[in-house]
């Protein structure tokens, strides 16, 4: 056998920390507990501030990604799940394109692949932490001093490794689902709950008002003389989260859950084992939330590059075409004001969308189009295209009931790409709608977390409700 | 948030926060309590075929105790802990609202409507006229000269405010600023607060707060989590105690195949369970067993009557759990004994003995019944009333009438046909997943012999829904009414459970789960003997029950013999135990495929050409990916008609041969 890239990681194998896979199947209750503990560690880490930072104010170039990557500014969770996500994306791509050869049926190969991925994630964490500190995200490095700089990098890397291990813990069967989606969903849920129930108040010239929309509703109703006006204010106030946004979030939540149930069921039967038809479901959200993830990754990368270029060369014509940036309403946060970035940046509100209909039109077309394209592309990359599924059917001796043995591919070709494209458009549309009606948090992040929560619900029904084992411990033991 | 938070000094805000949280939690709790309270009310409906006697209409001696035990169970639904929580929660919410919700005057703040003193709904015209009026008073030029400087200054300041307020309501920019930042001049310094009362953080309560935090995190949190965890661990999914389940498993694993297991053995095992131990208090297991045995004899246990009933009602879930565990062990004898015990618990009669069928009727005198020769309900119902009274030992004609009515209405099963079926096929092929179709008639014990039923009435049309879910028809008929069980404290849902055993080793088939027969048409019970024997369609209802064969059909061709058990959970004499045969045939060879494979059917292959899984085209993503992996790619330019035809003919032949080889 010739030299393999994967063999390069062999010397590091004993050095990389590893979670040992459970010896036998972990019962559902214990999985719930492990998941809870993991979540608790994650939440605590995203509240612990980094030691030694001078300031973390100033424009945040990553604001578009923060919620999705479960990162929290100025805390141990500054990097969030970025290293894991990037590493797994890169390795999936490498494996999918067969650039590195890995035999997934071989245990040793599989372990080596995972080690390599983990090692890469760690390297990414080190690299990213260094870049963050040295670019002066926590104040100029010269004033921080070398010692503090090193300390900051170490803190970030250490937190990154813990997140990698937590994710591994869940993935290896101790917990439910994957760490990545769990952390993202938690982060989003936390922010939504905070915006709805925050106990903090802001006192402007209108008097003290609650930051949390639901609490504010009670407060305004209780403390204002004119109840109708209080109600209107609670629902429409612009300066802080309002009840309309809370309702919109709830609405989007249920819309996604409803649409998740949409599926085409293809009756299939086995040629080897006669019996009742099985159902092969093709969901409307065939590619789940991948298109919106890819789409937002694309646009946030464009924003990041454009913003950085604009800082350096504000007068360059090409840079200006890509996007020029300005601050809005006194805060230091930058927003695109013209150029390409402006057109793919979501409108801030419904009124914003009305003011510039061309931009709104371009934005909607861009999101829906890119989502559809990403969705249809993704089925090819991830091995869920009609061709792959038909091959799988053939290997397992499955045929579509009521059709000739050979026509499975033709039938699947009719349904899968349509479902993928349409599902991509649907999820893009949902994201646009939730951005326009103004949910608490961006449309993308809400969609991500809802699909994750629904996935967990599915899992709980499957594992917790209808499992076969009558007595826990008995069937497991034998 | 660089600015510091201010704590709530005047109790202006924190009550609202508490209120909002309280309401947020109270709404779902209240809804759940409400739904539960409603659902408990609607359970006693008269369904066709039900036997409408209970402990009250039979005037049993212990009916007050039965009522008491039942009421204790039901009270848990309406008057339980969550009702207390609901009432207290809403009371607290109301208290907070009444005490702390006070209207704050907006005079100190910039509120255009207050400054101009107009209603919120005022039109632009009103605003303008009001502004004019006020400016007539406050305008510096109009102020009376006789006023002091101080008053003058005040009025000037007021005029500025009025001007601003007017602008805020009419000018677009100012309006927007007010909306977005709460100030007419745009963004201002905003002070942040947090709705925690100041007295909790500063002053003498702060020590208390620290203590509270400590107790909350150090004591209560571990306690709650630990409690939840031990609860989760304490009961299995079916709600029986883990120790109980473990002892059942141990008993079954140590089972001696040479020993005969009776319902009394099962009773002994169950009385050792943790649940019964919790109930029995200072009584010994033997004493409890004596109580249960006297319940079976329908004798009063005096002061222990209530305890007896409570133990008996606890036996039922334990028995269900036991049967489920025993099913995993595939041992028919223990399960059949357990079912007999279950029936005895429901009917308060002996679980063993030849006269069980008669002893389950109300008012019977056990000694008289056991001394005579009639054993079956069918035989009893052929006798005249007088003779029946003698057999049962009932002298009161009213009581006899009730007893015979119960006897007539107990549903018996008369199996007409039982055969295996593979969905979509008319034979049983090796390895197929099949199910057993049982065609039967429900009959009353009073109906004699069996009507002739044409075989054609057994055939069913298989729709696509049936192919997807062959057991679908089990759910179509109406649900069985609650069982007649007057001596048992509690409602009992009646059902049969089906098991399939192998005749060769007399064990259940691997992976057996009980199949529940709960939906049956009971109209046959009301038929007269004449209608019954005629057996007309739409008069005599044929029922169907399908039991899934848990394991695939044997992989070899030949005859196999099984045994079907249908066990009723409430009535003696209604069980079914019949042999069932299965004939496994080889799959006939598909002639068309053979022809095609031999290349005799070339005409057809044209239309097939595009059905095969073709290689992806070169200039698509899929093609690029395939090329990277080193797989075949179709050149898009070369996709001429003849060439692809030739190619596909070739591939077609190729794949079909493979298929045949697999078969």
């Amino acid at each position: 056998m010739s030299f393999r890239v994967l063999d390069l990681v062999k010397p590091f194998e004993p050095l990389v920390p590893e979670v040992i896979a459970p010896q036998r199947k972990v019962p559902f209750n214990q999985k719930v507990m492990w998941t809870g503990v993991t979540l608790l560690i994650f939440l605590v880490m995203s509240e612990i501030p980094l030691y030694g930072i001078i300031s973390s104010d100033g424009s945040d170039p990553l604001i578009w990604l923060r919620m999705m990557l479960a990162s929290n500014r100025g805390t141990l969770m500054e990097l969030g799940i970025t290293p894991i996500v990037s590493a797994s994306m890169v390795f999936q791509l490498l494996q999918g394109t067969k650039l590195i050869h890995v035999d997934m049926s071989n245990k040793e190969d599989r372990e080596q692949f995972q080690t390599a991925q983990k090692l890469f994630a760690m390297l990414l964490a080190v690299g990213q932490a260094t870049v963050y500190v040295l670019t002066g995200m926590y104040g100029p490095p010269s004033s921080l001093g070398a010692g503090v700089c090193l300390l900051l990098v170490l803190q970030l890397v250490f937190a990154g490794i813990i997140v990698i291990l937590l994710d591994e813990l869940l993935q290896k069967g101790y917990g439910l689902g994957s760490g990545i989606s769990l952390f993202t969903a938690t982060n989003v849920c936390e922010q939504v709950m905070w915006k709805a129930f925050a106990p903090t108040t802001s006192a402007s010239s209108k008097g003290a008002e609650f930051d949390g929309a639901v609490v504010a509703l009670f407060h305004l109703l209780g403390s204002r003389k004119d109840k109708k006006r209080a109600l209107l204010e609670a629902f429409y106030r612009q300066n802080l989260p309002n009840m309309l946004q809370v309702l919109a979030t709830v609405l989007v939540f249920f819309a996604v859950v409803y649409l998740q149930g949409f599926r085409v069921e293809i009756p299939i039967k086995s040629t080897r084992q006669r019996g009742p038809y099985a159902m092969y479901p093709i969901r409307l959200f065939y590619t789940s939330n991948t298109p919106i993830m890819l789409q937002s990754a694309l646009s946030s990368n464009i924003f990041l590059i454009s913003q950085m270029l604009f800082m350096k060369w504000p007068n360059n014509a090409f840079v200006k075409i890509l996007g020029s940036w300005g601050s809005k309403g006194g805060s230091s946060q930058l927003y695109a004001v013209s150029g390409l970035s402006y057109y793919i940046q979501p409108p801030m509100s419904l009124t914003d969308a009305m003011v510039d209909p061309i931009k709104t039109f371009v934005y909607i077309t861009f999101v829906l189009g890119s989502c559809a394209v990403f969705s249809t592309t993704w089925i090819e990359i991830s091995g869920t295209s009609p061709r792959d599924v038909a091959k799988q059917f053939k290997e397992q001796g499955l045929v579509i009931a009521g059709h000739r043995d050979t026509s499975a591919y033709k039938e699947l070709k009719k349904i899968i790409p349509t479902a993928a494209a349409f599902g991509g458009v649907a999820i893009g549309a949902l994201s646009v709608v939730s951005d326009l009606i103004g949910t608490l948090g961006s449309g993308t992040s809400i969609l991500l977390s809802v699909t994750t929560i629904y996935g967990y619900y599915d899992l709980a029904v499957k594992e917790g409700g209808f499992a076969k084992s009558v007595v826990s411990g008995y069937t497991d033991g034998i | 948030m660089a600015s510091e938070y201010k704590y709530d000094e005047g109790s202006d805000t924190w009550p609202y926060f508490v209120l909002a949280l309280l309401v947020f939690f109270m709404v779902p709790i209240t809804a759940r309590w409400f739904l539960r309270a409603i659902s408990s009310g609607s359970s006693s409906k008269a369904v066709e075929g039900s036997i409408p006697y209970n402990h009250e209409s039979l005037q049993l001696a212990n009916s007050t105790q039965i009522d008491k035990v039942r009421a204790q169970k039901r009270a848990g639904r309406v008057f339980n802990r969550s009702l207390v929580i609901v009432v207290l929660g809403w009371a607290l919410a109301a208290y907070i609202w009444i005490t702390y919700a006070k209207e704050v005057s907006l005079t100190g703040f910039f509120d255009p409507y207050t400054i101009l003193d107009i209603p919120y709904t005022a039109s632009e015209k009103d605003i303008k006229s009001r502004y004019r009026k006020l400016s007539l008073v406050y305008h510096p030029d109009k102020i009376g000269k006789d006023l002091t400087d101080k008053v003058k200054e005040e009025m000037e300041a007021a005029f500025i405010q009025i001007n601003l307020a007017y602008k805020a309501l009419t000018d677009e920019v100012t309006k927007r600023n007010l909306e977005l930042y709460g100030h007419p001049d745009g963004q201002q310094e905003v002070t942040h607060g947090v709705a925690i009362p100041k007295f909790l953080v500063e002053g003498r309560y702060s020590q208390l707060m620290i203590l509270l935090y400590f107790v909350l995190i150090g004591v209560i949190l571990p306690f709650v989590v630990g409690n939840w965890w031990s609860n989760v661990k304490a009961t299995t999914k079916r709600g029986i105690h883990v120790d109980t389940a473990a002892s059942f498993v141990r008993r079954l694993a140590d089972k001696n195949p040479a020993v005969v297991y009776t319902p009394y053995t099962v009773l002994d095992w169950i009385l050792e369970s943790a649940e019964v131990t919790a109930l029995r208090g200072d009584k010994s297991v033997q004493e409890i067993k004596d109580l249960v045995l006297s319940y079976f004899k329908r004798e009063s246990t005096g002061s222990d009557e209530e305890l007896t009933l409570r133990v008996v009602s606890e036996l039922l879930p334990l028995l269900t759990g036991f049967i489920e565990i025993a099913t995993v062990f595939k041992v028919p004898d223990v399960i059949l004994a357990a079912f007999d015990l279950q029936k005895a618990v429901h009917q308060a009669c002996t679980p063993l003995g030849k006269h069980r069928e008669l002893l389950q009727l109300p008012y019977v005198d056990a000694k008289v019944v056991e001394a005579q020769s009639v054993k079956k309900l069918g035989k009893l119902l052929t006798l005249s009333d007088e003779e029946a009274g003698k057999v049962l030992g009932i002298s009161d004609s009213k009581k006899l009438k009730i007893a015979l009515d119960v006897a007539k209405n107990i549903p018996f099963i008369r199996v007409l046909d039982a055969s295996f079926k593979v969905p979509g096929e008319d034979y049983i092929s090796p390895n197929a997943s099949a199910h057993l179709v049982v065609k039967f008639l429900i009959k009353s014990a009073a109906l004699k012999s069996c009507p002739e039923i044409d075989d054609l009435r057994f055939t069913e049309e298989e729709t696509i829904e049936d192919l997807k879910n062959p057991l679908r028809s089990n759910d179509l008929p109406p649900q069985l009414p609650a069982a007649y069980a007057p001596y048992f404290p509690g409602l009992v849902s009646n059902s049969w459970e089906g098991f399939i055993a192998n005749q060769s080793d007399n064990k259940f088939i691997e992976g057996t789960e009980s199949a529940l027969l709960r939906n049956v048409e009971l109209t046959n019970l009301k038929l007269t003997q004449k209608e019954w024997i005629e057996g007309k369609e739409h008069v005599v209802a044929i029922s169907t029950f399908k039991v899934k064969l848990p394991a695939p059909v044997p992989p070899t061709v030949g005859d196999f013999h099984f045994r079907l058990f249908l066990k009723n959970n409430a009535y003696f004499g209604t069980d079914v135990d019949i042999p069932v045969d299965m004939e496994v045939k080889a799959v006939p060879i598909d002639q068309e495929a053979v022809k095609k494979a031999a290349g005799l059917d070339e005409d057809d292959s044209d239309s097939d050409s595009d059905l095969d899984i073709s290689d992806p085209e070169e200039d698509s993503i899929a093609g690029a990916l395939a090329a990277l992996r080193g797989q075949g790619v179709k050149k898009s330019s070369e996709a001429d008609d003849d060439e692809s035809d030739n190619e596909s003919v070739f591939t077609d032949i190729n794949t079909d041969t493979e298929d045949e080889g697999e078969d």
Side-chain angles (χ1 to χ4, degrees), chain A residues 117-416:
Chain A
Q117 191 174 326
K118 223 174 355 178
L119 200 68
F120 186 60
M122 284 177 188
L123 286 179
L124 274 180
V126 174
Q128 230 169 356
T130 319
V131 169
Y132 273 31
V133 173
L134 291 187
T135 50
M137 233 173 148
Y138 311 112
S142 52
S143 62
L144 284 173
V148 174
C149 276
L150 191 70
L151 209 61
L152 280 173
V153 172
L154 275 180
Q155 289 177 63
L156 289 175
V157 171
F158 183 67
I161 290 175
I162 288 183
V163 171
I164 292 169
L165 290 179
L166 287 180
D167 179 54
E168 200 182 335
L169 180 87
L170 294 186
Q171 295 235 355
K172 282 210 169 154
Y174 288 103
L176 301 163
S178 85
I180 298 173
S181 45
L182 178 70
F183 296 152
T184 314
T186 314
N187 207 31
V188 174
C189 290
E190 190 196 339
Q191 303 223 15
V192 167
M193 286 314 268
W194 181 257
K195 281 180 179 167
F197 292 101
T200 53
T201 53
S202 299
S204 63
S205 53
K206 273 199 276 186
E209 273 187 278
F210 269 100
D211 289 347
V214 178
V215 190
L217 172 71
F218 283 94
H219 180 224
L220 287 170
L221 273 181
S223 64
R224 293 288 155 90
K225 203 166 151 196
D226 189 342
K227 301 293 177 203
K228 190 179 159 203
R229 192 181 160 201
L231 215 56
L232 279 173
E233 182 139 0
F235 272 87
Y236 291 107
R237 62 180 188 170
Q238 297 284 316
N239 47 341
L240 292 165
N242 58 39
M243 277 305 284
L244 211 61
Q245 290 172 323
V246 174
L247 292 184
T249 311
V250 174
L251 199 78
V252 169
F253 182 92
F254 284 111
V256 174
V257 169
Y258 178 65
L259 287 176
Q260 286 270 14
F262 272 50
R263 66 184 78 189
V264 181
E265 287 190 326
I266 305 179
I268 51 172
K269 62 177 184 183
S270 167
T271 51
R272 290 174 202 165
Q273 190 193 17
R274 311 274 162 142
Y277 293 175
M279 288 293 134
Y280 185 80
I282 294 175
R283 290 188 173 195
L284 172 63
F285 290 160
Y286 188 68
T287 46
S288 190
N289 50 25
T290 328
I292 199 74
M293 246 165 108
L294 293 174
Q295 189 268 335
S296 58
L298 173 74
S299 47
S300 45
N301 273 318
I302 294 178
F303 294 150
L304 201 65
I305 294 165
S306 161
Q307 209 174 328
M308 265 153 67
L309 288 176
F310 186 75
M311 291 291 146
K312 275 256 186 295
W313 303 284
N315 296 318
N316 184 311
F318 171 73
V319 170
K320 272 189 169 167
I321 288 174
L322 201 57
S324 44
W325 297 75
S327 64
K328 216 173 176 182
S331 74
S332 53
Q333 187 56 49
L334 291 175
Y335 293 93
V337 287
S338 71
L340 181 69
S341 299
Y342 172 68
Y343 284 99
I344 59 174
Q345 171 185 297
M348 292 298 126
S349 66
L350 209 56
T351 39
D352 252 23
M354 300 292 200
V355 170
D356 194 347
I358 301 171
K359 178 228 152 106
T360 312
F361 179 75
V362 173
Y363 168 72
I364 291 175
T365 326
F366 166 72
V367 173
L368 298 195
S370 58
C371 276
V373 170
F374 279 134
S375 186
T376 43
T377 314
W378 183 249
I379 58 172
E380 300 289 350
I381 295 171
S382 62
T384 46
S385 69
R387 185 176 299 103
D388 298 315
V389 177
K391 271 185 187 162
Q392 210 183 315
F393 275 17
K394 208 172 164 188
E395 277 164 19
Q396 298 172 359
L398 299 172
V399 293
I400 296 180
H403 289 272
R404 279 198 285 175
D405 296 8
T406 42
S407 64
Y409 177 52
K410 198 181 163 195
E411 283 302 308
L412 290 171
K413 219 163 110 179
K414 267 191 228 159
I415 302 170
I416 290 181

Side-chain angles (χ1 to χ4, degrees), chain A residues 100-118:
Chain A
I100 53 170
H101 291 281
V102 52
D103 179 11
M104 276 301 174
S105 52
N106 184 346
K107 193 171 170 251
E108 200 181 318
D109 250 32
R110 212 168 49 223
E111 269 170 14
Q112 230 168 60
F113 181 77
Q114 276 166 2
T115 315
Q117 191 174 326
K118 223 174 355 178

Side-chain angles (χ1 to χ4, degrees), chain B residues 55 63-79 489-490:
Chain B
H55 58 280
S63 60
T64 43
Q65 280 98 333
I66 291 181
D67 263 340
K68 214 169 160 190
V69 174
R70 274 191 184 199
Q72 273 170 354
K73 279 188 174 174
R74 204 173 309 150
R77 289 218 181 123
V78 183
F79 301 101

Side-chain angles (χ1 to χ4, degrees), chain B residues 481-512:
Chain B
Y484 154 85
Y487 297 90
F488 183 77
L491 274 179
V492 182
S493 63
N494 189 14
S495 66
W496 277 272
E497 284 180 52
F499 301 92
I500 303 176
N502 244 327
Q503 284 209 8
S504 52
D505 60 355
N506 210 13
K507 275 193 163 185
F508 289 156
I509 297 174
E510 188 67 50
T512 293

